[in-house]
Amino acid sequence: MTLNQITYFVGLKNSTPTIACALSNLLPALTFVLAVMFKQEDAKLKTLGGLAKLIGTLIAVAGAMMLSMYHGPVVPIGESAIHLRAANNAVNDSARGTMIGPVLVIISALTWAIWFIIQAKMGNFYPAPYSSSALMLGMATVECSLFGVIMVPHKQEWSLFPSIRFVACVYGGVVCSGIGVCMMSWCIQRKGALFVSVFSPVLLVIVAVLSWVILREKLYLGTVLGSVLIVMGLYSVLWGKSKELDLHKVDTMEDIEMH
């Protein structure tokens, strides 16, 4: 958790939001590879379910990349009536970018995929996702705090003003880390690492919609096509998982009848 947070935010600082968002969506592919390596998922490419999982993962990643990297023409749907005043002060900082940024974002996605695998394995021996999440986040808090004090020893850098810093810290801690990690741990314990990771590209769809509604950003053709591919890929993976579960139930019933 500590390595994931630090590498992502430092990588974001040294790249652009578009690049960071696109590379973060390597998560389903990385998780699929690790899950197969550690035998948490069966590739079974000769079966319909296994092939659907592989194709669905690739389609979801492709959709995420298209949504992030390709704009195309503007979709003529008008503007939202909602607008935040703070959006007027938004600064385009896309000129900043070095190789270290994208590399760190990829490392962040890899550490997140490794966490999915470890969490799935731990669920077999410690089926308490809430307490395990609390212990993990507690240790990560101590580690991140120590790292932060060492790297940024100046008191003014720890200020929660202006108010947006306070809102961002509270929301990130309570919703993203607190509620989000607990929910993911609970889902991983029941459905596995790949099932949870494949939902990550949906983040791009939600961000695109909220950006149009709240910030009045334009909706591009690439956003629409990428969103469609993400939904198709997600459906393919879920369908493949359901086929494997049906096959597992049939095999279990046959074993019971034989005994």
Side-chain angles (χ1 to χ4, degrees):
M1 182 63 71
T2 302
L3 187 60
N4 172 265
Q5 294 292 295
I6 292 174
T7 52
Y8 182 80
F9 285 112
V10 176
L12 177 61
K13 180 181 178 181
N14 289 277
S15 61
T16 65
T18 300
I19 293 175
C21 199
L23 294 177
S24 295
N25 284 282
L26 293 173
L27 177 61
L30 293 172
T31 305
F32 181 79
V33 172
L34 290 175
V36 172
M37 288 174 58
F38 290 95
K39 299 181 179 180
Q40 292 185 7
E41 292 283 344
D42 293 324
K44 294 182 178 178
L45 298 182
K46 293 183 179 180
T47 66
L48 202 56
L51 194 59
K53 288 195 303 181
L54 176 61
I55 294 175
T57 301
L58 295 177
I59 290 176
V61 172
M65 292 297 182
M66 173 178 286
L67 194 151
S68 299
M69 306 299 291
Y70 172 70
H71 279 174
V74 177
V75 179
I77 61 172
E79 292 187 350
S80 170
I82 304 172
H83 184 55
L84 292 181
R85 184 175 298 175
N88 295 326
N89 300 323
V91 178
N92 185 4
D93 200 19
S94 60
R96 179 181 57 212
T98 59
M99 282 302 297
I100 188 65
V103 170
L104 288 175
V105 174
I106 294 174
I107 293 175
S108 176
L110 178 61
T111 59
W112 201 234
I114 293 172
W115 176 77
F116 281 149
I117 301 301
I118 294 175
Q119 191 70 21
K121 185 68 174 178
M122 185 181 67
N124 297 329
F125 303 95
Y126 187 77
Y130 306 118
S131 60
S132 66
S133 297
L135 291 170
M136 176 186 64
L137 292 172
M139 288 185 283
T141 300
V142 174
E143 293 169 359
C144 286
S145 299
L146 291 174
F147 189 83
V149 170
I150 294 171
M151 298 301 296
V152 188
H154 309 293
K155 292 182 179 179
Q156 62 269 22
E157 292 293 334
W158 292 78
S159 173
L160 293 178
F161 296 97
S163 58
I164 187 61
R165 297 184 69 175
F166 174 78
V167 172
C169 290
V170 172
Y171 182 84
V174 174
V175 179
C176 300
S177 295
I179 299 175
V181 170
C182 286
M183 292 177 65
M184 283 189 288
S185 298
W186 184 83
C187 292
I188 289 172
Q189 183 180 352
R190 283 156 177 77
K191 294 294 185 177
L194 178 62
F195 180 89
V196 178
S197 70
V198 80
F199 278 87
S200 64
V202 179
L203 170 66
L204 283 174
V205 181
I206 299 173
V207 169
V209 174
L210 292 180
S211 295
W212 175 79
V213 173
I214 299 176
L215 303 179
R216 288 186 177 179
E217 291 187 1
K218 293 180 175 62
L219 192 63
Y220 296 95
L221 178 63
T223 303
V224 176
L225 294 178
S227 300
V228 172
L229 287 176
I230 289 172
V231 173
M232 290 174 57
L234 178 60
Y235 177 80
S236 178
V237 173
L238 297 180
W239 184 83
K241 290 284 289 184
S242 67
K243 284 295 182 181
E244 288 187 346
L245 289 175
D246 292 341
L247 184 61
H248 179 70
K249 290 179 181 179
V250 171
D251 293 337
T252 303
M253 291 299 296
E254 292 179 351
D255 291 339
I256 293 174
E257 291 176 356
M258 288 178 63
H259 290 294

